[in-house]
Amino acid sequence: MSNKIKVGMLGIGNVGRGTYQALEMNHDKIAETTGLDIEIVKILNRRPQIDRGIDIPKDKYTADVDEILCDPEIDIVVELIGGIEPATEYMARALSNGKSVITANKAAIAANGKKLAALAQENHVLLRFEAAVAGGIPILTSLTTALLSNRFTGVHGILNGTTNYILTQMSEYGKSYEEALKDAQIKGFAEADPTADVEGFDAANKLSILISLIFGVDASPEVIPTHGITSVGINDIEFASDYGFRIKLLASAREKDGKVYGNVEPVLLPLSHPLASVSNEFNAVFVSGNAVDDLMFYGRGAGPLPTGSAVLGDIIGVARKIEKDSAYDIVPQLRYDSGLEFAGEGANKYYIRMMVPERTGILGKISTIFGEHGISVETVRQNSPYECSGETVADLIFIVFKVEKSELLSALEEVREAGVIKSIDSIMRVEE
Ligand SMILES: NC(=O)c1ccc[n+]([C@@H]2O[C@H](COP(=O)([O-])OP(=O)(O)OC[C@H]3O[C@@H](n4cnc5c(N)ncnc54)[C@H](OP(=O)(O)O)[C@@H]3O)[C@@H](O)[C@H]2O)c1
């Protein structure tokens, strides 16, 4: 005889539909393997007149959130409306009312996870958010269960399917950024307003959550240096390919000497790195632990059913705790107590592309300025000259050895002020 677990769901958009559908598809299998009879009994639907493209009994819908948050029969509230508010307020109210909360909302967890986790603990209930990082990939559960014995030294993630799709189309089919973005929008991989994805903000929210789980450090998205992909040009992609690299938007963090360094930016990855072959809309997370060594998780980071699978996994996990009445002994996933400090980007190897006039002496001047800043050049290359605004110019490309980003930027400012170049068009980290 299965134990009934009643779930209230807020929102019936892409992930709401995917979660409902995944439960419909696999309800009997879940009951068979876990003994749990999970039912989504109420759904917040603010526009019940709209066809949601899924067959759901009308009496499950309510436009009044209190019918879910205050229903004593409901054990678990699943928040799938997105955005920071009112999602945070609804989750806080559900937790205060003694209900466990599951969400796919990285923006709300990155902004208010600390407050919500404390509220969950106070009320002896659970807060879970597997779907918030890398969609269908069970990275958070793995880090906090099977991999808990490890001390992690680093994490690198391709955490945004939209930008990975655009960069793949640029590298593999020679499309411009604009063409690749349009294509992503037509195929449903990019939103009409792609800002949060292409500027790296979405990946920064996810990295903030990973840093808390992996390193026990509070690094809010605002303090994580974040650069998107809008300035990546075809010239960069070609150079990367000629020199055995692929450009990926990476969300990375690593620990060294008591400090955690991290950022989100387009990076030149050697083709031999496992993340270099992660193409199109797929996501992947590469973690290094001191016992398990290197490990890569790969899969769909978005989409109704893959994300619904992660939400449903959390529902089953929480339902099992409720069934055993053991929610109170669960350690929160988010941690901020390791004593490590978040210290920004740290020293890295960099790629720099600048446009210069066709003139002698420029390379010497730039090398002198780099030398004065302690910057050593590993590779320099000048591409064939071309015409730009009636002038003959060329792309000058450097790879420089490890340097603090602030030092590099101050050297480049001096190069700019010396008036010997037209523009600095690209600065990217080179992953070793
Ligand atoms: N899409 C993915 O593949 C994916 C993957 C991982 C995580 N996520 C996260 O999952 C969450 C949901 O994403 P989604 O793609 O499913 O979004 P979506 O398709 O826009 O669905 C959001 C749903 O919430 C409803 N809603 C929004 N604000 C509301 C409010 N104030 N009151 C009541 N209902 C409200 C919307 O109603 P209307 O339809 O009436 O506007 C819609 O039904 C987000 O946090 C997102 O970051 C999404």
Side-chain angles (χ1 to χ4, degrees):
M1 182 67 172
S2 297
N3 292 312
K4 189 102 187 161
I5 296 287
K6 293 189 177 173
V7 176
M9 194 163 83
L10 313 182
I12 185 70
N14 289 309
V15 183
R17 277 193 298 275
T19 302
Y20 193 90
Q21 199 187 337
L23 181 57
E24 289 271 284
M25 273 165 30
N26 298 329
H27 174 274
D28 293 351
K29 187 254 167 191
I30 295 167
E32 203 177 290
T33 49
T34 65
L36 296 165
D37 174 12
I38 295 169
E39 190 190 351
I40 296 174
V41 293
K42 267 185 208 161
I43 300 171
L44 178 67
N45 180 357
R46 64 179 172 182
R47 293 187 293 165
Q49 71 282 9
I50 284 186
D51 177 10
R52 300 287 179 178
I54 183 167
D55 191 16
I56 296 178
K58 293 278 170 286
D59 61 353
K60 286 193 191 265
Y61 286 139
T62 174
D64 178 2
V65 73
D66 285 343
E67 282 197 22
I68 293 174
L69 302 184
C70 304
D71 183 341
E73 296 274 291
I74 288 179
D75 308 292
I76 299 173
V77 170
V78 178
E79 182 282 305
L80 299 173
I81 65 177
I84 295 178
E85 291 297 352
T88 301
E89 184 215 320
Y90 291 168
M91 287 193 272
R93 284 179 53 206
L95 294 166
S96 301
N97 289 348
K99 299 180 192 313
S100 288
V101 167
I102 287 156
T103 180
N105 191 332
K106 53 256 167 180
I109 291 294
N112 297 315
K114 202 179 204 172
K115 185 174 95 184
L116 292 170
L119 210 47
Q121 239 185 339
E122 254 171 56
N123 290 282
H124 307 300
V125 287
L126 293 158
L127 172 68
R128 288 291 179 264
F129 40 88
E130 179 60 76
V133 179
I137 302 173
I139 180 68
L140 305 188
T141 306
S142 304
L143 289 170
T144 52
T145 56
L147 297 172
L148 201 54
S149 65
N150 283 268
R151 195 179 186 88
F152 292 99
T153 49
V155 58
H156 298 284
I158 293 178
L159 300 178
N160 183 273
T162 306
T163 45
N164 202 43
Y165 181 83
I166 293 171
L167 291 173
T168 305
Q169 294 295 312
M170 289 172 75
S171 345
E172 288 184 14
Y173 304 103
K175 289 184 186 168
S176 68
Y177 169 79
E178 289 73 20
E179 283 168 334
L181 171 60
K182 206 164 177 199
D183 181 27
Q185 284 168 324
I186 290 167
K187 294 208 165 90
F189 298 140
E191 303 205 8
D193 176 3
T195 312
D197 294 320
V198 299
E199 296 296 350
F201 306 142
D202 173 76
N205 283 333
K206 295 167 181 169
L207 182 63
S208 165
I209 296 171
L210 282 174
I211 288 177
S212 164
L213 260 72
I214 291 182
F215 298 115
V217 168
D218 189 359
S220 68
E222 296 77 47
V223 306
I224 296 176
T226 300
H227 310 275
I229 62 163
T230 51
S231 64
V232 176
I234 282 293
N235 320 14
D236 301 314
I237 302 262
E238 282 169 3
F239 174 88
S241 162
D242 288 353
Y243 279 75
F245 293 104
R246 191 147 289 156
I247 297 175
K248 294 285 176 194
L249 184 74
L250 279 201
S252 305
R254 63 187 194 285
E255 197 240 301
K256 194 162 185 276
D257 303 330
K259 290 192 173 157
V260 174
Y261 300 95
N263 72 350
V264 173
E265 69 177 336
V267 168
L268 271 74
L269 262 185
L271 287 174
S272 56
H273 195 290
L275 286 171
S277 57
V278 176
S279 298
N280 287 317
E281 74 276 21
F282 281 88
N283 279 22
V285 186
F286 186 88
V287 286
S288 307
N290 65 351
V292 73
D293 207 343
D294 292 340
L295 200 57
M296 188 161 100
F297 296 78
Y298 169 88
R300 293 197 178 271
L305 276 175
T307 313
S309 158
V311 172
L312 208 44
D314 273 346
I315 294 176
I316 294 166
V318 169
R320 282 180 143 162
K321 304 283 179 212
I322 292 172
E323 197 200 6
K324 293 197 180 92
D325 197 21
S326 62
Y328 63 88
D329 66 8
I330 293 304
V331 178
Q333 290 186 323
L334 291 164
R335 289 194 307 121
Y336 307 100
D337 57 355
S338 67
L340 298 171
E341 178 197 337
F342 185 72
E345 291 176 280
N348 294 293
K349 203 165 161 178
Y350 284 99
Y351 159 97
I352 305 129
R353 173 170 58 87
M354 43 182 90
M355 191 199 281
V356 297
E358 253 274 278
R359 212 184 295 147
T360 54
I362 294 174
L363 184 56
K365 179 76 189 156
I366 296 170
S367 301
T368 305
I369 295 173
F370 278 1
E372 284 162 4
H373 285 264
I375 299 170
S376 309
V377 175
E378 182 184 283
T379 309
V380 60
R381 163 170 141 174
Q382 183 165 329
N383 284 352
S384 310
Y386 58 97
E387 291 298 309
C388 178
S389 310
E391 203 179 341
T392 308
V393 294
D395 284 332
L396 195 55
I397 290 159
F398 295 89
I399 289 185
V400 299
F401 285 107
K402 271 191 176 180
V403 55
E404 290 284 338
K405 183 79 166 281
S406 55
E407 192 64 49
L408 176 67
L409 292 179
S410 108
L412 291 176
E413 192 48 41
E414 248 181 75
V415 169
R416 219 180 251 125
E417 281 166 8
V420 293
I421 63 163
K422 305 289 290 176
S423 56
I424 295 168
D425 299 313
S426 189
I427 306 169
M428 286 185 266
R429 189 173 91 232
V430 179
E431 188 66 37
E432 292 178 275

